[in-house]
Amino acid sequence: MAIEREDVCILIPTLNEVLTIGPLIQDFREMGFSHIFVIDGNSTDGTVQAAEAAGARVVRQTGKGKGTAIIEAFSLIDDPYILMLDGDGTYAPADADRMLAPLAEGADHVIGDRLTACDEGALTRLNRFGNHVINVLFKWAHGAYLQDILSGYRAFTQESLDRLKLKETGFEIETEIAVEVVRNDLKVVVIPVSYCERPGTPTKLHPFRDGYKIIRTIYRLAKVANPLFYFGLIGMLLTVAGGLLGVYVVYEWFQNIERIPMTILTVLLIMAGLMITMFGLLGDLFLAFHRETTQELKKVREELESLKGKME
């Protein structure tokens, strides 16, 4: 069953995209999409006026940052389906139907994979390498390989959005969405999409600064989603540090040099590392129990709703 155009909200976060926003909105309108919502980050180049002239509903965000804009926009949308893409002209409206199709077949969330069919020059080698590293780190930390967790082309059902607890204010928002999708065990489909060289203003993402923030977010959010990874990494580093220091202490001892303070520090580091790793193991056990309980409660709720429907 195909999704009707009037049931879809096209969500476009913008910040100084006057060169691309008008044609982008026009393309969607020509395809039959009438609900086009631009959440603007207080642009100063006429983006708002261009979007309104093209027929979009425009709201200026109250805070700063892409994450803040997206979270605020989600709270203002009540359409059954949301298709979100950046306003910089890098994503093609022609891929919209392919992005929405999995939702009609029962998917909760769709990610547009830029890396499979990326135009030459659209991403630098550094960006490609950084994306690959981040996707692998995400798999280690959260147990799922989603191919392109930083993609700005996504489709959601309204029901799935209600289950996402989003707080990130900057470019880390895509990472947090991916974490929440995995944590809530939502059905995810990845669709290869076109990714064009940015025709408008230069990118606002700084590879090293924002890359560090994204990696930090992946690790920080693993504290709840994968405590064994979060605490285990700390425990491993402390244990390895203690082991290396211990090797030095033993070497000095064979040279008839006693390092009493270093010996005590070695023992403390190793014990602390093992204890923190145990915290991770216990946290992982509690998380597994929590997920199992949640699944059982979900089944009971579905059975009650089914029984209620039959009685009515």
Side-chain angles (χ1 to χ4, degrees):
M1 181 179 67
I3 293 176
E4 298 294 333
R5 295 284 199 267
E6 59 266 22
D7 291 333
V8 179
C9 175
I10 306 297
L11 171 61
I12 309 176
T14 59
L15 177 60
N16 295 327
E17 310 290 1
V18 69
L19 297 178
T20 54
I21 190 62
L24 184 64
I25 294 171
Q26 187 61 37
D27 286 346
F28 276 111
R29 290 183 64 83
E30 290 176 357
M31 294 174 64
F33 293 99
S34 56
H35 300 176
I36 302 175
F37 180 26
V38 171
I39 183 79
D40 184 72
N42 298 299
S43 296
T44 58
D45 66 345
T47 295
V48 171
Q49 293 77 10
E52 290 176 337
R57 173 194 175 194
V58 182
V59 172
R60 291 182 183 269
Q61 71 179 91
T62 55
K64 293 183 178 180
K66 184 179 182 181
T68 301
I70 290 174
I71 294 170
E72 184 175 342
F74 285 162
S75 68
L76 299 173
I77 297 173
D78 55 11
D79 299 272
Y81 304 99
I82 298 95
L83 180 66
M84 181 179 75
L85 73 162
D86 295 338
D88 57 9
T90 54
Y91 297 103
D95 290 322
D97 288 328
R98 296 176 60 244
M99 289 288 294
L100 292 168
L103 299 183
E105 298 171 0
D108 299 303
H109 182 61
V110 182
I111 298 175
D113 174 18
R114 307 163 297 165
L115 307 179
T116 300
C118 177
D119 286 1
E120 185 177 354
L123 287 174
T124 65
R125 290 184 178 180
L126 176 62
N127 284 335
R128 282 181 174 274
F129 176 74
N131 273 274
H132 177 70
V133 170
I134 286 171
N135 284 307
V136 171
L137 287 175
F138 184 87
K139 180 181 179 180
W140 290 349
H142 299 280
Y145 187 70
L146 300 180
Q147 295 180 254
D148 189 8
I149 67 165
L150 302 184
S151 173
Y153 211 170
R154 294 170 182 262
F156 314 83
T157 62
Q158 184 64 245
E159 182 181 358
S160 70
L161 278 185
D162 294 338
R163 298 172 62 181
L164 306 184
K165 308 300 181 184
L166 304 175
K167 300 177 181 178
E168 296 298 325
T169 60
F171 285 108
E172 307 94 316
I173 187 65
E174 284 93 356
T175 301
E176 186 180 32
I177 290 174
V179 170
E180 283 292 293
V181 164
V182 173
R183 187 179 69 84
N184 285 281
D185 196 28
L186 299 181
K187 183 178 179 181
V188 186
V189 175
V190 179
I191 299 292
V193 296
S194 301
Y195 189 71
C196 307
E197 187 173 1
R198 186 181 175 101
T201 56
T203 179
K204 302 170 187 69
L205 188 144
H206 299 274
F208 292 104
R209 185 189 67 191
D210 292 312
Y212 164 74
K213 290 180 179 179
I214 289 166
I215 292 173
R216 183 183 63 186
T217 300
I218 291 174
Y219 178 69
R220 176 169 51 80
L221 295 179
K223 180 167 58 177
V224 174
N226 188 354
L228 181 57
F229 175 84
Y230 181 85
F231 292 103
L233 184 59
I234 298 174
M236 181 187 71
L237 292 175
L238 289 176
T239 303
V240 169
L244 293 175
L245 190 59
V247 170
Y248 175 75
V249 169
V250 171
Y251 173 79
E252 291 286 274
W253 183 76
F254 277 115
Q255 305 300 316
N256 296 318
I257 302 173
E258 293 186 353
R259 301 286 188 182
I260 303 301
M262 283 190 178
T263 302
I264 296 173
L265 179 59
T266 296
V267 174
L268 290 175
L269 286 173
I270 293 175
M271 289 182 62
L274 293 175
M275 288 179 65
I276 291 174
T277 302
M278 286 300 299
F279 289 154
L281 286 169
L282 290 173
D284 198 58
L285 289 174
F286 286 130
L287 180 61
F289 177 74
H290 171 73
R291 286 173 174 168
E292 184 177 341
T293 303
T294 302
Q295 287 295 327
E296 291 299 322
L297 290 174
K298 182 180 178 182
K299 290 180 182 178
V300 171
R301 184 166 57 251
E302 290 174 350
E303 290 175 358
L304 289 175
E305 291 176 354
S306 177
L307 182 61
K308 182 180 178 181
K310 292 179 180 179
M311 293 178 63
E312 293 176 351

